[in-house]
Structures are given as C-alpha cells and as structure tokens.
Amino acid sequence: MQVFERTDCPFCWKVRLAAAELGVALNLVASQPGDPHPEVKRLSPTATVPVLVDGPLALWESAVICGYLDELAGGRGYGRTPADRASVRLLEAYSDRLAADGLRDAVFELRSKAADERDASRIEQGLVRWGDRLADLARRLGDKPWFAGDFSLADCALGPRFGVAEAYGIDAFRRHDNLGSWFERLKARPAWQQAYPKQFIGLQRA
Ligand SMILES: N[C@@H](CCC(=O)N[C@@H](CS)C(=O)NCC(=O)O)C(=O)O
C-alpha cells in the first residue's frame, strides 16, 4: 500500500501513527507542500495529502484511510461496540476539524515567517482558540488514561496536533495536568517514534 504524504502534515502523521499502532506496513511517498505529487492531483479531488493507494483503490480523506487500515487490521482500533466506535469517530472529527482550526493560525505564523514578520495578533487570537480547545479536551479526557477509555484511534488523531504544538514551542497543553500526562503516555508508545515526522517546516526560525 502506498501513501502519498507530507512528513509534517498532522493528517498524514495520524495515518502513520494509526498504521504503526495497527501493525500495517505503508510505503510512504513524499509530496511537497503547495506542489502536490502528480498522483495526488490525479487521485484526490481536493489535491490534499494523505492519499492511500491499494491496488485499484484510492482514498483521499485521512479518516477514511484510518478506517480502512483499521478494518484491514481486524477492526479494533475504533473500539468494540457501535457506541464506542461512534465516540472514537467523533473524537477524530474533533481533532481533524476543531483542534486543527484552533492551532492552524499560530503554527502558520511561526513556521512560515521570520520572527520580525509575524502577525502577533493572529498568533495571540489563534492561541486563545487553541486554549479553549485544550480546556474542552481536558474536560473530555477527565481522569481516563486515553480519550475513549482504552487506547484508540482517537489518541492517534489527537496526538499529532499536540506533537505539532510541542514542535513549535506551543506548550499550553501542559497547563492541564491530565493532557500533559496523556501526551507523555502516548509518546512512550513505540509507534510514536516510528511515526514521528522527519522534519517540520521552518522550525529553525521558530
Ligand atoms: N480533510 C483532509 C485534510 C488534509 C489536508 O488538509 N492536508 C493538507 C496538509 S496538512 C494539504 O494537503 N495541503 C495542501 C498541500 O500541502 O499542498 C484529510 O483529513 O485528509
């Protein structure tokens, strides 16, 4: 199975982490930011990564890709009961949409501009949104070890958001003890090292 991807993209990172946790081997093909691989343009109507190719099948939404990998691996990654599975899918949607939206502006400024060119108010407003998401996520996690109780693909989805934040020095999540402990537990899993990005755009400037 081939996956066209960008090493720093949190959606791609989620797919790599899920695959590593599920024990599914992927053949990764690099696509460049802003200049997608020709196969990505051909196979994905959104021209976004990740794109998974398995024989005649081409999948271009990370949540659909994770669902496919989970089914290939036996279907336990999203939980056992229909209610568990729906809850994990909701947490994944939360990560893909709300957590992503909370973090995007601050990371964009930090990674693509020199320090003296950054829009401080955009960073500040972005961090306020991210802070609101963190408070909500801390409440959802509560005193559970993992977001859905047992380890699941919800943790694989949320982990890279925190990983990106950490890489760019946005460590506000540590103000919530439970989120900080959850993230350390996640980082201690062997799959985390296997899936970790090779580089982050513009990090030398951050
Ligand atoms: N909903 C999509 C979002 C994917 C997405 O936004 N990918 C970004 C990278 S993080 C992308 O491909 N941007 C265009 C580019 O890098 O050229 C998914 O879950 O797969």
Side-chain angles (χ1 to χ4, degrees), residues 6 9-11 32-36 47-50 60-62 96:
R6 263 176 43 197
C9 158
F11 300 98
Q32 299 308 316
D35 180 23
T48 54
V49 287
W60 47 270
E61 249 321 294
S62 62
D96 288 357

Side-chain angles (χ1 to χ4, degrees), residues 129-151:
R129 271 206 309 287
W130 177 234
D132 290 345
R133 295 298 176 217
L134 289 175
D136 187 38
L137 285 168
R139 187 185 56 74
R140 288 167 189 274
L141 178 62
D143 59 6
K144 302 190 297 294
W146 304 108
F147 272 89
D150 293 331
F151 183 82

Side-chain angles (χ1 to χ4, degrees), residues 154-169:
D155 304 293
C156 295
L158 285 160
R161 302 289 162 192
F162 285 66
V164 167
E166 183 183 57
Y168 289 96

